Amino acid sequence: MSGHSKWATTKHKKAAIDAKRGKLFAKLIKNIEVAARVGGGDPAGNPTLVDAIQKAKKSSVPNDNIDRAVKRGSGLEAGGADYQTIMYEGYGPGGIAVLVECLTDNRNRAASDVRVAFTRNGGQMADPGSVAYVFSRKGVVMVPAEGTDEDTIMEAVLEAGAEEVTAMGDSFEVLSEATDLVAVRTALQEAGIDYDSADSVFYPSTQVEVDEEGARKILRLIDALEDSDDVQNVYTNFDASDEVMAALDEE
């Protein structure tokens, strides 16, 4: 599972970078708006909205912004956009598989941004289905390590459908089928265990090992893709050793 560990580490690192760039708020607000549009504005009957709101609050998005996003999404306030989810596929440097998940109200702009990012950073876009088979939908819940341990978490979530619990330094990653994500999250809540995030993600079935230069190149591509406001998530199947990631951290 080391490949996924690097993937999750990269995701957390990227979240911090996005926050500095002022892009994280916009993406979190967009998620809330879409969740409210799809499942209604009442969190009591919309677990996706609950997660979107929680994630926004943990990232210090002001409550007023959250409330307005819920109202726009549920039609109680004007100004909501018609967002569409679009997936793009491509290859990064070294043949790394890349899935780009966009949430946009302008397909042409999103496609252009993604294409430019690939072209300028040693990658190329690919036809639908070219790399999607490398990934499958999984549920990932991140639990802060403080105050709990791997055995306690596994005991709480095993019957809810969790497949494994992996130590990630200052947190634990709980992996499940995407269809079991809500059950796993609920099991944690009922056991009194706090969690940082609960997401349905695209999880790579195989990883490609890269050296320091390879990791630098693929992270540069991820940076460029996530610079677009339309890009919500970038998934890859690259793997890198702890030593490689530590070397990049020092740069």
Side-chain angles (χ1 to χ4, degrees):
M1 296 311 298
S2 97
H4 191 61
S5 295
K6 299 305 176 301
W7 171 85
T9 301
T10 301
K11 293 295 289 183
H12 283 293
K13 215 173 289 178
K14 297 297 300 167
I17 293 170
D18 274 349
K20 291 177 184 177
R21 292 176 177 162
K23 292 182 178 292
L24 184 60
F25 275 22
K27 293 185 179 185
L28 292 170
I29 288 297
K30 195 184 292 186
N31 280 338
I32 291 172
E33 194 172 321
V34 171
R37 175 172 290 115
V38 173
D42 182 5
N46 188 345
T48 303
L49 180 58
V50 171
D51 285 336
I53 291 174
Q54 182 190 44
K55 193 177 296 186
K57 287 185 174 181
K58 283 181 179 293
S59 296
S60 303
V61 176
N63 287 332
D64 284 351
N65 296 43
I66 293 173
D67 291 341
R68 285 199 298 272
V70 172
K71 288 177 180 176
R72 284 196 303 272
S74 57
L76 297 178
E77 185 175 297
D82 182 19
Y83 292 115
Q84 295 176 292
T85 299
I86 309 170
M87 300 297 300
Y88 296 104
E89 303 178 36
Y91 297 99
I96 300 297
V98 182
L99 273 185
V100 185
E101 186 175 23
C102 292
L103 193 57
T104 181
D105 57 354
N106 188 323
R107 296 175 67 97
N108 292 335
R109 181 186 63 217
S112 175
D113 285 354
V114 170
R115 189 176 301 280
V116 167
F118 270 110
T119 302
R120 291 181 177 174
N121 293 279
Q124 62 184 57
M125 292 185 72
D127 294 332
S130 298
V131 302
Y133 71 93
V134 176
F135 300 86
S136 57
R137 272 288 188 189
K138 292 287 185 179
V140 173
V141 183
M142 300 304 298
V143 178
E146 186 175 356
T148 189
D149 57 57
E150 191 170 332
D151 290 339
T152 301
I153 295 172
M154 181 56 84
E155 184 178 342
V157 299
L158 188 58
E159 291 188 7
E163 296 175 358
E164 61 180 296
V165 177
T166 305
M168 304 279 292
D170 59 357
S171 61
F172 291 99
E173 174 196 82
V174 183
L175 183 70
S176 71
E177 289 297 325
T179 51
D180 292 323
L181 177 61
V182 173
V184 169
R185 185 199 62 205
T186 301
L188 287 168
Q189 291 174 317
E190 291 177 347
I193 300 173
D194 188 27
Y195 66 93
D196 283 333
S197 63
D199 297 297
S200 177
V201 306
F202 284 98
Y203 184 98
S205 57
T206 59
Q207 286 91 34
V208 176
E209 182 78 23
V210 296
D211 58 15
E212 186 175 327
E213 182 60 23
R216 186 180 293 110
K217 287 179 178 178
I218 190 65
L219 288 173
R220 191 178 297 134
L221 171 59
I222 294 171
D223 262 338
L225 288 165
E226 292 190 342
D227 269 342
S228 169
D229 291 337
D230 291 319
V231 173
Q232 290 293 99
N233 294 294
V234 179
Y235 304 101
T236 75
N237 70 333
F238 88 94
D239 188 14
S241 68
D242 292 337
E243 291 75 20
V244 166
M245 297 304 288
L248 294 180
D249 280 345
E250 293 175 1
E251 293 183 354

